[in-house]
C-alpha cells in the first residue's frame, strides 16, 4: 500500500489510466489529499469538456457502474468531481493492494 504522504505509485496509475499528460491538471501534489484536490480539477475539466474521455477512463479503471452513476446523480453539484476522485483513488488503491499481495 502506498505511503499516504507519498502517492507516487497511485499518481502514476491515475495519470496512466486517465491518459493524462504528466503536467495536465498540474498533478504535482505531494500528499494524497493534495493530489486529490488536483485530480478533482482534472475531473471537473473532463466533466465539462470531454465527457466521453471520462467515461472511457472510468471503464478502463473498472469503476463500478452503479457507483459511477450514483456519483453522477447530482451532476450539477460541486461534489460530483470529488466523489469521482474518491472512486478513482479507491479503485487504484485496490489495484495496488492486490498487486502487492501477489508479488513475490
Amino acid at each position: 500500500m502506498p505511503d499516504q504522504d507519498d502517492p507516487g505509485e497511485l499518481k502514476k496509475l491515475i495519470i496512466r489510466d486517465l491518459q493524462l499528460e504528466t503536467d495536465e491538471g498540474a498533478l504535482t501534489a505531494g500528499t494524497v489529499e493534495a493530489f486529490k484536490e488536483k485530480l478533482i480539477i482534472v475531473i471537473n475539466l473532463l466533466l465539462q469538456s470531454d465527457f466521453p474521455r471520462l467515461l472511457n477512463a472510468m471503464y478502463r479503471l473498472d469503476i463500478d457502474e452503479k457507483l459511477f452513476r450514483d456519483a453522477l446523480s447530482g451532476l450539477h453539484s460541486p461534489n460530483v468531481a470529488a466523489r469521482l476522485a474518491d472512486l478513482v483513488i479507491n479503485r487504484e488503491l485496490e489495484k495496488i493492494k492486490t498487486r502487492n499481495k501477489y508479488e513475490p
Side-chain angles (χ1 to χ4, degrees), residues 10-28:
L10 177 65
K11 177 181 169 182
K12 287 177 193 173
L13 283 172
I14 291 172
I15 288 171
R16 182 197 71 205
D17 290 340
L18 288 179
Q19 296 181 330
L20 303 174
E21 298 295 324
T22 54
D23 61 344
E24 186 173 351
L27 292 174
T28 58

Side-chain angles (χ1 to χ4, degrees), residues 58 62-72 87:
M58 296 297 119
D62 194 28
I63 299 293
D64 182 272
E65 188 175 341
K66 182 184 180 327
L67 294 175
F68 180 68
R69 278 189 302 216
D70 289 347
L72 288 179
L87 290 176

Side-chain angles (χ1 to χ4, degrees), residues 48-63:
Q48 295 171 11
S49 64
D50 201 349
F51 192 71
R53 180 175 165 193
L54 179 64
L55 286 176
N56 190 329
M58 296 297 119
Y59 178 77
R60 272 192 323 279
L61 284 160
D62 194 28
I63 299 293

Side-chain angles (χ1 to χ4, degrees), residues 20 24-45 85:
L20 303 174
E24 186 173 351
L27 292 174
T28 58
T31 66
V32 171
E33 197 55 42
F35 179 72
K36 179 183 170 186
E37 293 302 317
K38 300 293 184 180
L39 183 58
I40 289 169
I41 293 168
V42 170
I43 290 173
N44 264 324
L45 289 172

